[in-house]
Amino acid sequence: MTVTAPTPSESASASSVNPVLDLLSRHRSIRKFTDQKIPAELLSNLLHAGQCAATSSHVQAYTLLHVVDTAKRERLVELTGGQGYVASASDFFVFCADMKRPTEAAARAGAEIITGTTEQLLVASIDAAMMAQNLVVAAESEGLGICYIGGIRNDPAAVSDLLDLPDQVYPVFGLCLGYPDQDPQVKPRLPLSVIVKTDSYNSEQDNALIDGFDATMETYYRERLGGNKSSNWSKQLKPLFTSKLRLHLKEFLEKRGLGRQ
């Protein structure tokens, strides 16, 4: 079976019937926010919605650090590579994978604890990501903008010291929340037939489809940035395999008691 992306008319038809699909299809990262603050009650409701996400074995292996101290926000701007919206967004959270809480709870219940497994690291990291995505969708449904901050992992030891994170806890990513002060285009995605396979991993047609997607992204960058950027999806991947390797993470995680076996 070949899976193809919906045409714009098909997407419009679907969105008119299902507002959730419409909301999800309009996601953009927002990097410029107004000065308006998110009301405390709304923020609490969004966090509750995030907490309702699926979690492996009901472990809920995450902790969120709500960073409100101005000096700490400014320090996180530095640690994330100068991303100023970390300070300018209404609210900023650091999502942490947390095996400390469930490990201690299991020990109190009488378990002979085994710690530091790769499975535990994956469970906590995935739990944190799923909780965040629930929160993000809820936030966007309220007209808010968001931006994930992977730069939190540039110097996870410094972030951990700044936020007093204990062993068995590590910062996975940050999240900016606020009212948008920009209206960027929706960034195109790969054709579904590249990422959805039936019964086996068959990539025979992928290169041709990716070439077409690269052309789409060339146009996107040219139009979005007024001709000041010439790039595509494949070119944008280069730093991930050359300079943004974050080879320090393995040693950092092992020192934190995570992923040692």
Side-chain angles (χ1 to χ4, degrees), residues 71-208:
K72 288 189 176 184
R73 290 272 286 266
E74 292 294 344
R75 177 59 177 148
L76 287 171
V77 170
E78 298 173 12
L79 292 173
T80 57
Q83 300 185 67
Y85 27 95
V86 168
S88 63
S90 171
D91 293 272
F92 183 73
F93 290 89
V94 176
F95 280 72
C96 299
D98 186 346
M99 269 295 163
K100 176 179 181 293
R101 184 188 309 111
T103 296
E104 292 176 349
R108 290 196 302 272
E112 295 185 12
I113 297 298
I114 298 172
T115 63
T117 70
T118 301
E119 171 65 7
Q120 290 167 353
L121 174 61
L122 287 172
V123 163
S125 301
I126 294 168
D127 264 16
M130 294 176 72
M131 193 274 192
Q133 189 60 15
N134 248 40
L135 191 159
V136 162
V137 173
E140 291 180 333
S141 76
E142 291 286 344
L144 298 174
I146 72 94
C147 188
Y148 283 103
I149 306 294
I152 282 292
R153 300 189 301 279
N154 288 350
D155 192 342
V159 172
S160 297
D161 290 342
L162 182 70
L163 303 178
D164 302 314
L165 302 185
D167 285 349
Q168 297 287 315
V169 179
Y170 90 95
V172 190
F173 49 80
L175 183 68
C176 296
L177 287 171
Y179 290 93
D181 194 25
Q182 61 179 171
D183 187 22
Q185 299 175 28
V186 175
K187 186 176 287 187
R189 295 298 197 261
L190 285 163
L192 281 177
S193 53
V194 172
I195 63 168
V196 180
K197 312 294 183 183
T198 301
D199 292 332
S200 63
Y201 195 112
N202 185 335
S203 59
E204 291 179 1
Q205 306 299 320
D206 284 5
N207 285 346

Side-chain angles (χ1 to χ4, degrees), residues 7 22 57 93 121 166 168 173 187 197 227 230 245 248 261:
T7 66
D22 182 49
S57 300
F93 290 89
L121 174 61
Q168 297 287 315
F173 49 80
K187 186 176 287 187
K197 312 294 183 183
S230 177
L245 300 174
H248 53 270
Q261 56 181 322

Side-chain angles (χ1 to χ4, degrees), residues 43-53 131 134:
L43 189 60
S44 178
N45 290 338
L46 297 178
L47 291 167
H48 176 68
Q51 197 178 10
C52 292
M131 193 274 192
N134 248 40

